[in-house]
Amino acid sequence: MRKQIFITALSLGAVALGTDLVLAQNSGQVSSSVNIILADVIAMDIGSVASEGTVDFNYGNTKDYNSSKNVTVPNSLVIISSKNFDVKVKSEGTHFVSGANVIPVDVIQVRAIPGGSLVGTLNEVTLSTTDQVLVSNASLGSKQSLNIDYSISSEKASTVLLGKPQGTYTQKITYTATAL
């Protein structure tokens, strides 16, 4: 009988220990580390109007040559940046070219204007082959748009453009966003 009590006690102990073991497995814990790895980014959206876009100044009559002309391009640039940044502008060459005929690029003023979502110090520059700051210390952010105004003064129209052979004079303008 003593032997039966011992076996019964041993069996009950095994059942109890086995049950605890099963319960421990159902409530066990593990932990993992989750990493978020960030890299600095800065890019101009391919959907920017300035990307392969065209800005046209048409001079067809005497009034055109005697007045200032402005072409405003809303959402010219759409920029994402993980840091504050500058936007710079420059021309790829020293002249607008039509065959053998040329017009100096400094005939154009380029100005960042209010109205887009980009926040920073908006500047106006005379176009040249040197990078010039069009927007300084722009705030970081996603899908920030910048409106740009291009202008030719009446003085430049009457002194630089008037008398040039007719044609379409072309030059590429490059915009660069640089993280600070």
Side-chain angles (χ1 to χ4, degrees):
M1 171 97 128
R2 231 172 168 205
K3 196 173 180 184
Q4 278 182 329
I5 292 175
F6 179 72
I7 293 174
T8 303
L10 190 57
S11 298
L12 288 174
V15 169
L17 287 176
T19 303
D20 285 343
L21 187 57
V22 170
L23 290 175
Q25 289 175 348
N26 286 336
S27 64
Q29 290 183 336
V30 297
S31 62
S32 294
S33 293
V34 175
N35 299 318
I36 299 174
I37 302 166
L38 302 176
D40 288 333
V41 297
I42 189 163
M44 289 192 199
D45 192 323
I46 201 150
S48 296
V49 174
S51 178
E52 302 305 319
T54 302
V55 175
D56 291 327
F57 284 90
N58 293 308
Y59 288 84
N61 57 51
T62 56
K63 182 181 175 195
D64 291 335
Y65 287 97
N66 288 317
S67 59
S68 297
K69 285 196 173 249
N70 294 311
V71 177
T72 300
V73 182
N75 302 315
S76 289
L77 303 174
V78 179
I79 302 169
I80 180 173
S81 181
S82 59
K83 292 186 171 188
N84 285 11
F85 60 96
D86 287 343
V87 176
K88 297 176 182 175
V89 60
K90 70 176 184 175
S91 65
E92 289 187 12
T94 57
H95 293 90
F96 291 91
V97 178
S98 177
N101 303 307
V102 296
I103 297 171
V105 294
D106 66 1
V107 73
I108 299 272
Q109 294 291 119
V110 181
R111 182 169 52 119
I113 59 173
S117 59
L118 188 137
V119 176
T121 303
L122 308 178
N123 301 308
E124 180 175 11
V125 299
T126 300
L127 189 58
S128 76
T129 56
T130 304
D131 267 329
Q132 298 179 78
V133 179
L134 188 61
V135 180
S136 59
N137 198 27
S139 298
L140 64 91
S142 177
K143 295 200 181 228
Q144 298 182 87
S145 62
L146 174 63
N147 298 339
I148 299 177
D149 183 66
Y150 303 85
S151 63
I152 299 175
S153 69
S154 59
E155 178 188 343
K156 295 274 186 173
S158 64
T159 60
V160 178
L161 302 181
L162 189 63
K164 294 289 183 187
Q166 72 178 21
T168 300
Y169 292 76
T170 304
Q171 182 53 254
K172 291 272 186 193
I173 296 176
T174 302
Y175 296 92
T176 306
T178 307
L180 299 178

